[in-house]
Amino acid sequence: MKKASLKIILAMLLFTSSVVLQAQNHNNHNNNNHNNNNAGSWRILGTMQATHNGDHDALEITGPHDSYRKLKIKVRNSPVNIQRMVVRYEDGKPEEINTRNEIPKDGESRVIDLQGGKRRLKAIDFWYDTKGFLNGKAELTILGMK
């Protein structure tokens, strides 16, 4: 009787361990989707802190200068109201993006289609105001899709 109980307990432990490992692998896969370089997937272009007293910041795009056709912004820690956004391309031409929307804490913007299809980005300028002083600085993560 004791051997049967021990076998059942061991089987339950093995099963529980495998479920936990599968859940961790699933979470790691989902968290890494933003660093995928495949066409049609989102890639992190950069992260910046939106201060409560700041109203304009620029994000210089570094790393591989791939071409992108879409952008979106994820916000953490505090809501932010993006009033204006200008995308500067490597060929020197800027594109003003009509944003004027508030992105809630832990929310994201709409998908922004860039004019002219795939374009090589140089920098993105943001004009904004933040809310929720008690929540700290808003962290903006800018994502691009090839």
Side-chain angles (χ1 to χ4, degrees):
M1 182 74 172
K2 289 182 181 181
K3 287 183 181 181
S5 296
L6 185 59
K7 287 181 181 179
I8 291 173
I9 291 172
L10 285 174
M12 289 173 55
L13 285 173
L14 286 173
F15 176 75
T16 304
S17 298
S18 68
V19 169
V20 169
L21 287 174
Q22 286 177 351
Q24 286 177 343
N25 286 338
H26 179 72
N27 285 340
N28 288 340
H29 175 72
N30 287 340
N31 291 338
N32 290 333
N33 281 345
H34 295 303
N35 292 322
N36 192 337
N37 282 331
N38 296 330
S41 62
W42 292 103
R43 181 174 181 264
I44 296 174
L45 301 178
T47 300
M48 56 188 269
Q49 299 288 325
T51 61
H52 292 289
N53 58 359
D55 66 338
H56 174 256
D57 279 311
L59 175 71
E60 300 293 323
I61 308 300
T62 59
H65 290 281
D66 294 327
S67 296
Y68 297 94
R69 56 189 172 92
K70 297 177 185 283
L71 298 174
K72 75 176 173 178
I73 304 161
K74 288 194 168 207
V75 175
R76 289 185 21 169
N77 301 330
S78 184
V80 65
N81 180 27
I82 298 178
Q83 300 162 350
R84 183 175 173 221
M85 185 171 135
V86 176
V87 177
R88 290 185 280 141
Y89 297 103
E90 280 189 353
D91 65 6
K93 295 179 184 176
E95 178 184 352
E96 184 151 349
I97 307 293
N98 182 11
T99 52
R100 292 201 181 270
N101 67 337
E102 184 171 315
I103 304 171
K105 175 182 176 180
D106 299 324
E108 63 182 51
S109 71
R110 65 178 171 80
V111 174
I112 301 163
D113 291 314
L114 300 175
Q115 292 179 358
K118 289 186 174 184
R119 306 283 301 272
R120 289 184 182 262
L121 307 178
K122 182 177 181 181
I124 304 171
D125 290 287
F126 295 93
W127 285 263
Y128 60 86
D129 62 73
T130 59
K131 299 182 175 159
F133 183 75
L134 296 176
N135 291 324
K137 298 176 182 178
E139 180 183 277
L140 282 70
T141 301
I142 295 73
L143 302 142
M145 181 183 284
K146 292 183 179 185

